[in-house]
Every structure is written in C-alpha cells, then in structure tokens.
Amino acid sequence: MSNTPALNIENLHYHYPDGTAALNGITLQVREGERVGIIGANGAGKSTLLLHLNGILRGNGTVRVFGSLLGKGTLSEIRNKVGMVFQNPDDQLFCPTICEDVAFGPRNMRLPEAEVRQRVDRAMETVGIAPLKQKSPFHLSIGQKKRAALATVLSMDAHILALDEPTSNLDPRGRRGLIDLLQAFARTQIIATHDLDLVRQLCTRVVLLDAGRIVADGPPDSLLDDHALLEAHGL
Amino acid sequence: MHIPDGFLSAPVAAAGYAASAAVLALAVKRSGQTLEERQVPLLGVTTAFVFAAQMLNFPVAMGTSGHFLGAVLAAVLLGPLNGCLVFAAVLTLQCLLFADGGLTALGANFFNMGVVGGVGGYALFRLATALLPRSRRGFLFAAALASWISVVASASACAVELALSGTVPLGLVLPAMGMVHAIIGIGEAVITVATLSVILAARPDVVGEWRGPSPVLLVGETSS
Amino acid sequence: MTARNRASVPALDPRAKIVAMVAALILCVSTPAQRYTTFAAYFAVLVAAFALSGVSARVLARRLLAVLPMMLLCAAFIPFLHHDTVGGGYSLSFGGLHLSRSGLLVLWNIAIKASLGVALVTLLNETTPFPLLLRGLEQLRCPRLGILLLGFCHRFLFVLRDEALRMKRAADARGFQGRWLWHAPVVGRMIGALFLRGYERGERVYLAMASRGFNGGMPAAETPPALAPADRVFLGGALAVFLVLRIALP
C-alpha cells in the first residue's frame, strides 16, 4: 500500500439544522491498519463524526477515504469501503433472516449471486454465527445481534470499520468475545465509545472530543492515565 | 371488526377483493412515482407501529374495551395512499400470522378499514380542515371528527356486507353496530388526538398533513 | 405467534403449502352449508393434518376464541333473520320451527367455515417460519413492495410490541388503571410515544441501509428453483383430496 492515509479529514464543520454546532473544525488523519478509539462525553460529536465517514451527514470540510474525495460521484464507492456498524443492532438488521441481511450489502454492490453467497458464508463464519443463518434477528441475543451487525459490513469487504459503541449493552463475556473478534481484524477501525477499557485493550490511538473539537490525540496508555484531562472533558 | 372466513357470500367476498385490488393498484402506482427511498423502511416500521398500537386495548366502560383502529391516524401521518399500503400490510399479517380475519374475507376487511375507514376518513378530514380555522386546534378537531366517523363507517360497511351475504338482517344490525361503534369511536377519536398532539409537539415534520408553523428539525438532514 | 420448526412438514417447499392452503380454503368456504358429510370429511382430514404436523391444538383453540365475538354478534341476530319468510310470526307452529332451522343453518355455516379457515391458516403458519412464507409468496410473484413491507413489519413488530409492553408496565407500576373512557388519553400518549420511537427507528434503519449501498431498489433475489418431487406429491395429493371431498361427497 502507498502512503495514502486510509482516512483524511480536514477542517470539518457541521451544524444541525436548528443551528447547534456539532463539529467544530475536525482535522484527523488515520493510517491504514490503525485502530482509533474516539472518546468524549455525551454530545461531544462522536456519532456525528462517524456519520460523516461515509457521507450520511455532510458538513463543510473535506473527507478523503484512501485518497478519494467524498462527494456525490464517489458516494457508493466510499460506502463500500467504509463499513458502518450502528450502535443498536435492531437498527442495522432489518431483513427477515440474518442471512439475507448479510447479503444485503453485497447484493447492492451488484455482485454475482455465487460470490454473494460465498461472502455471506465467510462473514458469518468469521464472527462465529454461521449456524444462525436462517434465524430471524428477533430470536437472537444482543451479543449475537452485534456479531450479525458486524457480519453485514464484513461481507462487503469494507476496508475501514466504523463502529458506534460496539460493546454497549453486552454482558462481560459477550464484551470480551467482541473485543477478541475486533482484535483479530487487521483492518482499519474507528470506534466511538464510552468504554475506556475497550480502548485500552484494543486501540492503538485515542482521539478525545469535546464540543465538536479534538482536544487530545495520542496513544491510549498515556492519554487514558491522565485523569485530570479526562475529568476536564466529562469522562 | 375482522370478518372471519365463511361469514361472507362468494359474490360479496369477491367484490371486496376486486375493490381492494383496484385501490391498492392505484396506491402502488402512485407511490412508485413518489415514494422516496427513505420512505420504504419508514412505511415498514409504521406498519409495525399500527399493528402494535392495535394490541393496546383501551377502556370503554367498566371492563369492556375496544381496540384502536388507527386508519385516520395513518392517513394523516403518511397520506391516504401510503396509509392504504400500511393497512393492507397490517391486515395481511394479522390474517397470516394470527388467523385474525379470514383469508377469503381479507379483501372485504381491507375495504372496510383501509378504504372506507382510511381513505373515507381522510377525505372527511380534508373537508373539515378546509372549513375549520387553520390552527392546531382546528387540525386536531378535524382529526377527531374524522376518526370517530371512520370507526362508525367501517363498522357500518362491515354490517352491510354481512347483511348482503345473508348472515345477519340489515335493519337490525346496522343500527346496533352503529351504536356500539359510536361509543368505541369516541375512544378512537380521543386516542387519535392524543397521539397526534404528542407527535406534533415533538416532531411536527413527520405529520404529513400538518401545514402549521414550520418545524424545528431535531435530526440532521440526510443526503445520499 | 412465532412459527417453530416442526419435524414433518417444514421440509416441504412453502410454495406448495401456500397453494394447497389457499385452494383448500376456497373449496371449504364454497361448500354449501347442508353438506354435512363433506364437512365431516374436511374435519377428519384436518385432524389428521394437525396430528401429522404436530401443531398443538392449544394454539388453534386460542385463535378460535378470537373469532367468537363476531360469531356471537351474528348469533344474537339469528332469531330475527328471515322472519319475513314466515310472515313475521314467532309462534311455535310449524312455521316457527322452520324459522329457527334456517337460522341455525346460517349459524352452522359461519361457525364451521370460520373454524376451518382458522385451522387451515394455523396449519400453514405454524409449520412455516415467517421468512420462508414470505419467500414463498415472493416466488409465487406477489408484488415486491408488499413482500418488502410485510418483511419490515414482521421484523419490527416484535421490537415495537415489546416497547409497547414496557411502556404499559411502566405506567402500571405507577398505579395507572385504565378503566374508563377518560383514561384513553393516557393510552393515546403512549401510542404517540410509540410512534415517535418507531419513526425514529425507521430513520436509523434507513441510515444503516444507506450505509450499505441502498438506493431505493431492493436487490433482486435469486430465481426460484422448481418444486421438488415430494412437494409436487404433497400439493397434488392435497388438491386431489379436497377436490374429491368437495365434489363427490353428498
């Protein structure tokens, strides 16, 4: 791979339609293979930032994914590269069966049916829910649903995983399982979370947001031990 | 108000299907032109909502209860044709999943609740909003009136169909059904108004028929 | 409620089951009420089908109960039905007897047909998980928009129902006892909150779909395979049995 960063955000601003500023000039570069934890108090702009990574929200500023500028023409290409996993798996899983849900992305990419099936099998294998193929999401535990939600973007062969609160509502064992799973992926990961232990175990870098600005950026060990800093920004 | 199998004669059941198919074909054709992509999941979730809302019984008096119909509510929120699609899905699901309403009577059931209740109620709602002052109060009053009548009209249509099929005598059943549902309709109106005022307070932008003061959006506008 | 996988029938193609059910239902409903032998035979076939498929009679009983109010409503008017035909009298003469007999025939007609209808639908949905049922309907060329809507609705129905029940429980926990009509606004506010939650969920679902490349059209599913021999045998057999009963028996 060249030196092109996986993700390059420059001076990104975003206001909600009622005028509230959500992002205030975010500039961030992520290299391929990095696992970046985005932390910050409620309302700091973590989820809003994630929603900009694949153009669901579009503010002022530029977002580049592997060098290509996010815009109308590159939207579908970028959505295939950035796999977005939402916080609540019930929002992500909408098909009658898990299998169809995992196939939804690849089918939108207009892949041949044989390849779709192959990718579905592989993705479900990877997250360890292969036996649940024909199940309805309603019959799954939260842990299984979170894994299934992850599989729906793995099947698209996303280069960057953007995860919103991947461990929320999980019991300790489900949480450990998910962390192990994420640890095994070599892909670039951007994780918005309140779970500081997850960041410590998983991430190679931490970005601290407050009021739509990056207030700290560094390795987890030093940053997470700076209690004064965390306290000052609502954590 | 869900008619089971066997209550309708073959001509009445067939006529119910024919009328329903015509209305649905129109709704699908129109919605195919105007249905924005984001509306597909919204329609689906609204369908589930109407289904869930019908499971909440409301009290009428001393233990007896009626359940919410929601035909006018759906039409006011989504427009009459989308409301029709939602009702067709709700009734089909109730029939296939819970055997609530017969499959052979599905056409008639949809006609009574979706077309007579929903489209008819909606037409009345439009008429009332045109005559009443253009305010929140006028809007809610029109919804109340339309939803009360929608219940009575649905029940009456049901009674007429049963009578045409020779299952009940029209002269007695029509007033009886009408009277009972005139009371149940009060509950329907009260619930429709309460529901609409909650939604108008929090998200006026989602009430399709609301033409009042412009809303403050709470969620970011999305683009795709 | 939820369709559970049962041992014997689920292996059959849902298309075969759907067509068989609809055909049987139409034949049953169109049978004249006086053909008691035919109805007895239908009943026997259905008892056998329930026994073979292992669908519990309790589910059926619960659903039959739901038909009861409508049945009682009609039953209440039976004495007044056809009173024109006997000159408006309620005497216990021969005319009176005749009156009650034609009324009873109407009652019998709706009772047996409604029960058979409920039994047939129950048989289908208790042996076929809903997603498979939907796929079967799609393969039978039902409109895609309808299938899509049913799929969404089924997916979120239980999520919303649980939310509705949680709200109701929270209200009950604070001493809400809905007993009178003027308590209805409380239910209305709950329904309003339920709608908002549902609507906002719809918006989030849309975002999640857009993130995976959704742009209005649903990806086409694979072309349906032909019916397997076993499915053909089942379908042919079911059609033959009901046709013979409908036509041949007195």
Side-chain angles (χ1 to χ4, degrees):
Chain A
M1 229 26 200
S2 63
N3 292 332
T4 330
L7 184 69
N8 192 355
I9 300 173
E10 267 171 46
N11 200 23
L12 187 63
H13 289 265
Y14 182 75
H15 298 265
Y16 279 114
D18 65 351
T20 321
L23 298 179
N24 268 319
I26 300 273
T27 297
L28 178 70
Q29 273 202 7
V30 177
R31 287 186 308 280
E32 196 173 1
E34 268 191 307
R35 285 201 285 260
V36 183
I38 297 180
I39 59 174
N42 289 332
K46 303 185 298 291
S47 300
T48 310
L49 178 58
L50 279 195
L51 290 176
H52 278 82
L53 299 186
N54 67 356
I56 281 183
L57 293 182
R58 275 194 268 165
N60 296 319
T62 59
V63 177
R64 282 193 168 79
V65 177
F66 292 107
S68 48
L69 181 69
L70 183 65
K72 264 238 174 315
T74 54
L75 201 64
S76 64
E77 171 201 335
I78 283 176
R79 284 187 177 167
N80 293 345
K81 280 191 183 143
V82 181
M84 185 81 67
V85 181
F86 288 75
Q87 175 175 359
N88 186 344
D90 278 329
D91 298 339
Q92 182 121 13
L93 305 170
F94 62 91
C95 292
T97 63
I98 295 294
C99 173
E100 283 169 77
D101 229 312
V102 179
F104 179 74
R107 284 198 182 129
N108 281 328
M109 293 162 78
R110 308 261 177 267
L111 295 173
E113 192 58 32
E115 164 135 33
V116 170
R117 228 167 276 178
Q118 204 183 351
R119 283 185 176 213
V120 169
D121 288 341
R122 203 167 50 209
M124 297 191 66
E125 201 80 47
T126 310
V127 299
I129 52 166
L132 305 178
K133 261 178 111 165
Q134 298 299 339
K135 283 263 195 266
S136 159
F138 184 72
H139 299 299
L140 269 52
S141 71
I142 293 197
Q144 288 169 327
K145 280 195 236 184
K146 288 246 177 193
R147 281 164 184 263
L150 195 56
T152 63
V153 300
L154 290 183
S155 63
M156 298 176 74
D157 218 3
H159 292 55
I160 300 176
L161 294 181
L163 310 160
D164 198 354
E165 293 287 3
T167 53
S168 64
N169 290 332
L170 286 182
D171 59 24
R173 193 175 57 160
R175 181 174 164 278
R176 276 195 303 277
L178 196 85
I179 292 177
D180 290 343
L181 194 61
L182 293 175
Q183 206 129 36
F185 293 140
R187 301 174 215 223
T188 314
Q189 291 171 27
I190 296 169
I191 304 167
T193 186
H194 286 304
D195 184 346
L196 299 184
D197 280 336
L198 161 91
V199 175
R200 210 185 283 272
Q201 285 171 54
L202 189 62
C203 295
T204 54
R205 180 177 161 195
V206 186
V207 170
L208 173 58
L209 287 188
D210 193 1
R213 282 194 187 79
I214 296 182
V215 290
D217 183 349
D221 289 335
S222 58
L223 209 148
L224 293 181
D225 287 333
D226 190 344
H227 293 294
L229 177 76
L230 296 182
E231 182 70 35
H233 297 288
L235 288 172
Chain B
M1 223 187 293
H2 292 58
I3 304 175
D5 287 312
F7 281 55
L8 296 179
S9 66
V12 174
Y17 263 103
S20 302
V23 173
L24 276 182
L26 180 71
V28 169
K29 192 161 163 261
R30 284 284 186 82
S31 71
Q33 286 161 4
T34 59
L35 203 61
E36 293 169 49
E37 52 172 271
R38 61 181 307 168
Q39 279 188 313
V40 177
L42 282 179
L43 275 188
V45 177
T46 315
T47 309
F49 155 75
V50 172
F51 203 129
Q54 292 197 349
M55 289 178 178
L56 289 174
N57 286 343
F58 64 81
V60 176
M62 293 291 281
T64 50
S65 66
H67 82 74
F68 185 55
L69 178 63
V72 167
L73 181 66
V76 169
L77 289 172
L78 307 166
L81 293 177
N82 285 344
C84 262
L85 292 179
V86 162
F87 251 78
V90 167
L91 291 170
T92 308
L93 215 54
Q94 284 170 337
C95 169
L96 288 181
L97 272 185
F98 302 101
D100 195 2
L103 188 59
T104 53
L106 184 57
N109 281 329
F110 169 71
F111 183 80
N112 297 342
M113 290 180 251
V115 181
V116 174
V119 180
Y122 175 80
L124 204 84
F125 168 79
R126 285 298 292 264
L127 186 71
T129 42
L131 297 176
L132 289 164
R134 293 186 54 156
S135 64
R136 190 168 176 278
R137 251 186 201 193
F139 183 87
L140 291 177
F141 185 76
L145 191 67
S147 49
W148 181 76
I149 290 190
S150 79
V151 171
V152 177
S154 291
S156 306
C158 174
V160 169
E161 283 153 18
L162 289 175
L164 282 177
S165 304
T167 307
V168 292
L170 184 66
L172 285 166
V173 169
L174 194 56
M177 282 285 267
M179 232 126 68
V180 171
H181 284 85
I183 299 171
I184 294 182
I186 298 174
E188 176 85 10
V190 171
I191 290 188
T192 303
V193 167
T195 306
L196 278 175
S197 38
V198 169
I199 299 171
L200 278 180
R203 291 284 305 270
D205 58 303
V206 308
V207 183
E209 287 302 319
W210 174 241
R211 308 261 186 275
S214 74
V216 176
L217 285 181
L218 295 182
V219 216
E221 255 178 63
T222 59
S223 54
S224 53
Chain C
M1 204 87 299
T2 54
R4 285 163 289 272
N5 257 310
R6 294 238 158 55
S8 39
V9 196
L12 291 168
D13 191 302
R15 284 174 292 173
K17 287 194 274 187
I18 294 168
V19 174
M21 189 277 280
V22 172
L25 184 61
I26 291 174
L27 289 172
C28 287
V29 170
S30 66
T31 308
Q34 302 90 328
R35 290 178 50 182
Y36 305 106
T37 331
T38 312
F39 284 110
Y42 291 152
F43 182 76
V45 171
L46 279 174
V47 168
F50 268 79
L52 278 176
S53 61
V55 175
S56 86
R58 193 175 286 176
V59 180
L60 181 62
R62 210 176 46 223
R63 291 184 179 168
L64 283 174
L65 272 183
V67 181
L68 215 55
M70 199 66 160
M71 205 111 77
L72 289 178
L73 175 87
C74 291
F77 291 104
I78 293 295
F80 305 103
L81 203 58
H82 299 306
H83 74 266
D84 287 345
T85 58
V86 290
Y90 295 106
S91 67
L92 284 173
S93 65
F94 179 76
L97 270 176
H98 178 77
L99 164 83
S100 71
R101 187 177 299 155
S102 76
L104 281 178
L105 194 63
V106 170
L107 188 59
W108 151 256
N109 184 47
I110 59 177
I112 184 68
K113 287 178 182 174
S115 311
L116 289 173
V118 171
L120 280 165
V121 171
T122 303
L123 204 54
L124 176 67
N125 72 24
E126 281 291 304
T127 58
T128 319
F130 194 71
L132 289 183
L133 200 61
L134 276 188
R135 194 184 303 160
L137 287 172
E138 189 178 9
Q139 290 171 346
L140 289 168
R141 309 195 176 243
C142 289
R144 274 186 74 74
L145 183 65
I147 302 289
L148 199 64
L149 218 50
L150 288 182
F152 266 114
C153 177
H154 181 257
R155 167 69 187 93
F156 291 107
L157 170 62
F158 298 104
V159 175
L160 277 175
R161 187 199 57 183
D162 287 356
E163 253 168 44
L165 290 179
R166 277 198 296 274
M167 260 192 268
K168 193 168 149 19
R169 207 174 299 148
D172 291 346
R174 281 174 285 164
F176 171 66
Q177 291 171 317
R179 225 168 315 131
W180 299 91
L181 195 55
W182 50 88
H183 288 127
V186 179
V187 181
R189 283 194 284 277
M190 278 188 213
I191 293 180
L194 192 66
F195 176 81
L196 287 176
R197 290 187 198 181
Y199 191 90
E200 280 165 6
R201 182 180 296 281
E203 290 180 320
R204 292 194 302 271
V205 171
Y206 167 72
L207 294 185
M209 289 169 76
S211 294
R212 287 188 279 154
F214 175 70
N215 51 17
M218 284 302 267
E222 56 262 65
T223 42
L227 282 185
D231 299 320
R232 286 166 200 233
V233 170
F234 164 77
L235 181 56
L239 292 182
V241 166
F242 276 93
L243 259 177
V244 166
L245 295 184
R246 169 76 178 82
I247 295 167
L249 282 184

